[in-house]
Amino acid sequence: MTGSYEDPRVAGLRTAVSRLRRELATYPVEFPDRAIAEDELAALAAMVTHGIPEVPRLRRSLLLIAGAIGSVSALARSLSEVRQAVELFGRAPGR
């Protein structure tokens, strides 16, 4: 059997990040921290292309994204999906 194994957490995070990126790209209203959210979503997308990402970095990106778009109710569901996907990776070592 040929093929490669992909951690389902990585696949789930990739899907959630992609969905939020698409929704943010089509969201018609500008807001002050939009660039921060876009940059961090791009960073998350890059992280999941290289295997299992580091938990502290995932959590940092999630906090920045949530802070940047937390009050945009139209994006709340997709943001929640990203949060849930990040939580599947567990806590950072030493916590």
Side-chain angles (χ1 to χ4, degrees):
M1 180 175 161
T2 58
S4 62
Y5 170 78
E6 179 177 41
D7 188 317
R9 298 173 303 170
V10 173
L13 181 57
R14 180 182 303 113
T15 300
V17 167
S18 178
R19 181 176 295 120
L20 182 54
R21 287 180 85 183
R22 280 192 314 272
E23 288 184 15
L24 182 58
T26 61
Y27 187 71
V29 180
E30 287 298 318
F31 51 93
D33 294 330
R34 184 180 190 131
I36 293 168
E38 290 170 342
D39 289 348
E40 287 304 315
L41 284 166
L44 279 177
M47 280 187 255
V48 295
T49 62
H50 301 294
I52 297 176
E54 296 178 13
V55 174
R57 181 66 177 106
L58 285 176
R59 292 193 173 278
R60 179 183 176 278
S61 288
L62 177 61
L63 286 173
L64 289 169
I65 294 164
I69 65 174
S71 65
V72 180
S73 61
L75 302 173
R77 182 170 183 230
S78 292
L79 176 59
S80 179
E81 290 174 4
V82 171
R83 180 189 53 80
Q84 291 170 355
V86 167
E87 287 178 353
L88 292 176
F89 287 88
R91 293 193 168 275
R95 291 201 173 195

